[in-house]
């Protein structure tokens, strides 16, 4: 039986994390930066699931649930900040102009 | 040697992630991000974690992505944004970040290649029952902390998204946190 190897899943997690980091560093659009952070969080979750599969332990999925709630809170607050910046009269989503958010 | 669905889902996830970070239009990147999440859900299923796979589909690809779609719709992006985005994504911009993340990958790859091979026997399926027993047994404190985190996210998103002019019609960001 050709078994699914958790080691390959760890390699994919590394690739996904590097891709997400590339997005965070290279993009200037706040929305795209948030999406890249989601990719990085998913890579971490994949690493946890793969480790849980490697050691036959449910702790990996417990940590996945923690990452899931963290990502949900992070997305809600980040998107609220983006909408607030937009409502403050900012024409673009450039991350370099965040100083308009006063207070 | 990994089996075929695992390889397929891996390739789809990696390719779609690269598409996410290179698309100039936000909605296209968002749809590719949904593809990444669904492929990861398939990977979780292949790794013997059906509970995590279902949660990935329901919460990530369902609720969080709906939040993103709402925000993209409310921002009302148009052709000027697309042109500005193309201007921002000049090829020279990508050199430094590509070097840095390539360096990270080059550091991680040999370490992960040296990881121990799969454990004894075939990968067992860890269902929701084992996860639930673990969650409400030794990890009950972290469940409480996660609920604190979600409550803090709800309150701060409501506070940030409240209407600053006080005209009564809110910006609507507070409603989205109900998904969280």
């Amino acid at each position: 039986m050709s078994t699914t190897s958790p080691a390959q899943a760890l390699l994919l997690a590394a690739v996904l994390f590097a891709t997400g980091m590339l997005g965070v560093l290279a993009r200037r659009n706040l929305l795209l930066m948030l999406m890249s952070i989601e990719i990085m969080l998913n890579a971490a979750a994949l690493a946890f699931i793969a480790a849980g599969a490697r050691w036959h332990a449910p702790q990996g999925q417990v940590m996945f649930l923690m990452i899931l709630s963290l990502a949900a809170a992070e997305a809600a607050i980040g998107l609220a900040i983006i909408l607030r910046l937009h409502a403050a009269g900012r024409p673009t989503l450039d991350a370099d102009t965040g100083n308009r958010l006063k207070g | 040697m990994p089996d075929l669905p695992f390889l397929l889902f891996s390739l789809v996830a990696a390719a779609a992630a690269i598409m996410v970070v290179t698309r100039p239009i936000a909605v296209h990147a968002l749809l590719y991000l949904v593809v990444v999440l669904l492929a990861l859900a398939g990977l979780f299923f292949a790794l013997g974690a059906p509970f995590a796979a279902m949660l990935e589909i329901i919460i990530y690809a369902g609720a969080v992505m709906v939040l993103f779609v709402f925000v993209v719709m409310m921002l009302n992006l148009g052709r000027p944004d697309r042109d500005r985005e193309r201007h921002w994504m000049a090829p020279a911009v990508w050199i430094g970040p590509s070097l840095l993340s390539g360096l990270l990958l080059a550091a991680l790859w040999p370490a992960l290649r040296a990881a121990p091979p799969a454990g004894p026997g075939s990968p067992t399926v860890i269902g929701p029952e084992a996860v639930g027993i673990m969650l409400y047994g030794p990890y009950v404190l972290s469940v409480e902390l996660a609920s604190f985190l979600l409550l803090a996210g709800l309150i701060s998103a409501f506070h940030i998204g409240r209407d600053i002019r006080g005209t009564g019609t809110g910006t609507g960001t507070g409603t989205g946190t109900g998904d969280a």
Side-chain angles (χ1 to χ4, degrees), chain A residues 27 38 42 54 71 83-84, chain B residues 23 56 85 160 164 173:
Chain A
R27 300 305 293 263
E38 293 291 329
N42 269 292
R54 163 65 181 79
L83 280 183
R84 184 62 180 271
Chain B
R23 287 307 94 188
E56 177 93 4
E85 195 73 30
I160 292 167
I164 29 178
T173 51

Side-chain angles (χ1 to χ4, degrees), chain B residues 13 33 41 69 73 88 101-102 104 109 139 151 167 170:
Chain B
L33 185 56
V69 169
M73 285 195 299
W88 282 346
S101 44
L104 174 73
W109 195 271
Y139 289 95
L151 181 64
T167 53

Side-chain angles (χ1 to χ4, degrees), chain B residues 6 11 19 23 32 41-42 50 63 78 80-81 99 114 116 166 171 173 179:
Chain B
F6 182 86
L11 287 179
M19 293 299 269
R23 287 307 94 188
Y32 277 113
D81 297 283
L99 276 178
T171 50
T173 51
D179 299 330

Side-chain angles (χ1 to χ4, degrees), chain A residues 31 34-35 38 75 79, chain B residues 30 64-72:
Chain A
L31 206 57
L34 264 185
M35 288 186 208
E38 293 291 329
L79 292 174
Chain B
L30 198 55
V64 177
M65 287 305 110
V66 167
L67 267 183
F68 273 92
V69 169
F70 274 152
V71 170
V72 169

Side-chain angles (χ1 to χ4, degrees), chain A residues 83-90 102, chain B residues 74 158-173:
Chain A
L83 280 183
R84 184 62 180 271
L85 284 170
H86 191 67
R90 209 165 60 133
K102 296 191 174 71
Chain B
M74 292 178 75
F158 187 73
H159 176 74
I160 292 167
R162 78 194 189 286
D163 193 4
I164 29 178
R165 295 178 304 275
T167 53
T169 54
T171 50
T173 51

Side-chain angles (χ1 to χ4, degrees), chain A residues 2 4 10 12 18 27-29 31 38 42 53-54 56 59 61 64-65 68 71 77 83-84 86 92, chain B residues 3 6 21 23 37 43 47 55-56 60 72 75 84-85 88 101 117 124 126 135 139 156 160 164 173:
Chain A
S2 69
T4 297
L10 283 181
L12 176 68
R27 300 305 293 263
R28 285 175 70 182
N29 191 332
L31 206 57
E38 293 291 329
N42 269 292
R54 163 65 181 79
H56 304 296
Q59 277 94 342
Q61 295 185 53
F64 170 75
L65 281 171
L68 202 64
I77 296 177
L83 280 183
R84 184 62 180 271
H86 191 67
T92 74
Chain B
D3 52 352
F6 182 86
V21 299
R23 287 307 94 188
L37 297 176
L43 274 177
L47 283 169
L55 282 182
E56 177 93 4
Y60 250 123
V72 169
L75 290 182
R84 190 184 304 116
E85 195 73 30
W88 282 346
S101 44
T124 51
I126 301 166
L135 266 181
Y139 289 95
S156 49
I160 292 167
I164 29 178
T173 51

